[in-house]
């Protein structure tokens, strides 16, 4: 059915899909929210990226993926929700809200108890749906489609999303990944103090991204970027500088986004 095309899996860790983290090691627990969900985002019987989701704030903490862009049109399709965030006994398949309501005889309100729903992103002022794992960084039609789930997006400043952040994703990344055999990316959102949609969905204070570049199988360089979620400016830095900035935003606790082999300077 065109109403449910994908699969994802809510698990207790990323052991099911370690391939999206360099050396299979995800960020340390400092970023973990109070009520986390580890999601291995699977579509058409294969995994495409991994997401740590905050059930309480109804936004992803970060999405991790391998940077493998190919030319192609941005797909148009349904926005998916995650049945297993509603009930662990429900299907692992991503599904539309309409399908979930019919399949399990539940209400839209029940879907929205643990995750964002389409309605939360309608009629926003100055904000848009900002994907942490963008379709443009994926290698196939299926991979691109898999990014269109509400567990992968945050309320992002519209001007930033269409301006400096887009330039980073579409211009800076291709430049910085020249010569990289494999590039691992983790893109995240720092929770903010305000909410949208009747206080249902957190508006992040910052959007950030980190990358570790491997030539053959050895990490040779890494970098990070961060942007305030109300300004059209992206600051590029070393990976170490980004981790220090995030540490300050997370109560001074040490943050490791990648294995120590990825250069910090």
């Amino acid at each position: 059915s065109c109403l449910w095309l994908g699969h994802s899996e809510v698990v207790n860790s990323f052991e099911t899909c370690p391939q999206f983290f360099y050396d299979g090691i995800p960020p340390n627990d400092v970023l973990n929210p109070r009520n986390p969900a580890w999601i291995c985002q699977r579509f058409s019987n294969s995994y495409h990226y991994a997401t740590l989701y905050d059930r309480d704030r109804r936004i992803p903490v970060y999405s991790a993926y391998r940077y493998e862009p190919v030319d192609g049109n941005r797909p148009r399709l349904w926005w998916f929700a995650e049945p297993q965030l509603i009930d662990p006994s429900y299907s692992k398949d991503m599904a539309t809200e309409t399908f979930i309501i019919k399949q399990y005889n539940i209400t839209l309100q029940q879907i929205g108890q643990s995750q964002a729903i389409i309605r939360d992103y309608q009629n926003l002022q100055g904000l848009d749906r900002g994907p942490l794992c963008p379709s443009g960084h994926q290698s196939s039609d299926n991979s691109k489609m898999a990014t269109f789930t509400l567990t992968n997006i945050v309320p992002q400043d519209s001007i930033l999303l269409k301006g400096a952040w887009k330039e980073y994703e579409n211009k800076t990344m291709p430049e910085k990944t020249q010569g990289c055999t494999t590039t691992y990316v983790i893109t995240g959102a720092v929770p903010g103090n305000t909410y949208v949609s009747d206080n249902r969905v957190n508006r992040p204070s910052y959007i950030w991204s980190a990358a570790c570049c491997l030539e053959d199988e050895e990490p040779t360089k890494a970098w990070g970027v961060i942007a305030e979620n109300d300004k059209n400016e992206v600051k590029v830095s070393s990976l170490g500088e980004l981790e220090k900035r995030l540490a300050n935003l997370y109560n001074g606790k040490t943050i490791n986004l990648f294995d120590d082999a990825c250069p910090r300077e």
Side-chain angles (χ1 to χ4, degrees):
S1 167
C2 64
L3 288 178
W4 57 293
L5 298 173
H7 305 270
S8 59
E9 187 172 353
V10 177
V11 289
N12 295 322
S13 71
F14 289 123
E15 291 181 1
T16 306
C17 53
Q19 65 267 35
F20 302 110
F21 304 94
Y22 170 62
D23 211 22
I25 302 174
N28 62 334
D29 294 344
V30 172
L31 298 177
N32 289 12
R34 183 180 63 179
N35 193 7
W38 292 266
I39 304 174
C40 290
Q41 305 276 13
R42 192 176 71 181
F43 192 92
S44 190
N45 297 318
S46 63
Y47 295 114
H48 299 281
Y49 62 103
T51 300
L52 177 62
Y53 193 74
D54 187 334
R55 299 171 189 257
D56 293 336
R57 295 184 176 97
R58 299 183 179 88
I59 57 170
V61 177
Y62 61 74
S63 286
Y65 61 96
R66 292 191 301 267
Y67 176 74
E68 300 173 319
V70 297
D71 292 334
N73 295 326
R74 183 176 183 268
R76 292 190 177 196
L77 61 138
W78 308 89
W79 280 96
F80 295 121
E82 181 51 67
Q84 288 201 328
L85 289 179
I86 308 163
D87 189 316
S89 68
Y90 286 1
S91 172
K92 298 176 182 178
D93 298 353
M94 290 182 191
T96 63
E97 295 167 3
T98 301
F99 181 86
I100 294 172
I101 289 168
K102 291 181 179 179
Q103 178 76 6
Y104 301 106
N105 193 28
I106 62 174
T107 65
L108 184 61
Q109 184 178 20
Q110 287 173 286
I111 298 175
Q113 286 177 355
S114 59
Q115 61 193 296
I117 54 179
I118 293 173
R119 183 184 298 171
D120 293 322
Y121 284 87
Q122 293 174 342
N123 303 316
L124 295 181
Q125 299 295 320
L127 298 169
D128 211 334
R129 292 176 289 211
L132 298 189
C133 176
S135 64
H137 286 183
Q138 296 300 303
S139 61
S140 68
D141 289 344
N142 281 342
S143 295
K144 293 176 187 295
M145 290 180 190
T147 66
F148 287 85
T149 168
L150 292 160
T151 57
N152 181 46
I153 61 172
V154 299
Q156 188 170 356
D157 183 272
S158 297
I159 296 175
L160 170 64
L161 176 64
K162 299 170 184 176
W165 195 260
K166 181 179 180 180
E167 183 173 350
Y168 171 72
E169 289 183 338
N170 295 348
K171 294 183 179 180
T172 307
M173 277 291 285
E175 293 172 357
K176 295 187 76 68
T177 55
Q178 289 292 322
C180 301
T181 307
T182 306
T183 303
Y184 291 92
V185 180
I186 300 173
T187 301
V190 179
N193 296 320
T194 60
Y195 284 74
V196 300
S197 188
D198 295 326
N199 292 320
R200 281 184 37 80
V201 178
N202 186 267
R203 174 179 177 168
S205 55
Y206 292 85
I207 311 294
W208 57 269
S209 187
C212 181
C213 162
L214 278 64
E215 295 183 25
D216 293 325
E217 297 183 1
E218 294 297 321
T220 56
K221 59 182 177 179
W223 62 91
V225 299
I226 193 167
E228 294 182 59
N229 196 24
D230 59 0
K231 296 179 181 177
N232 188 27
E233 181 182 4
V234 172
K235 297 180 180 178
V236 182
S237 70
S238 68
L239 173 59
E241 288 172 343
L242 174 63
E243 290 177 330
K244 290 177 183 177
R245 181 74 184 276
L246 291 177
N248 290 333
L249 295 171
Y250 281 88
N251 300 317
K253 298 179 180 179
T254 300
I255 289 177
N256 292 310
L257 297 177
F258 290 108
D259 177 79
D260 290 343
C262 295
R264 260 54 188 185
E265 300 302 326

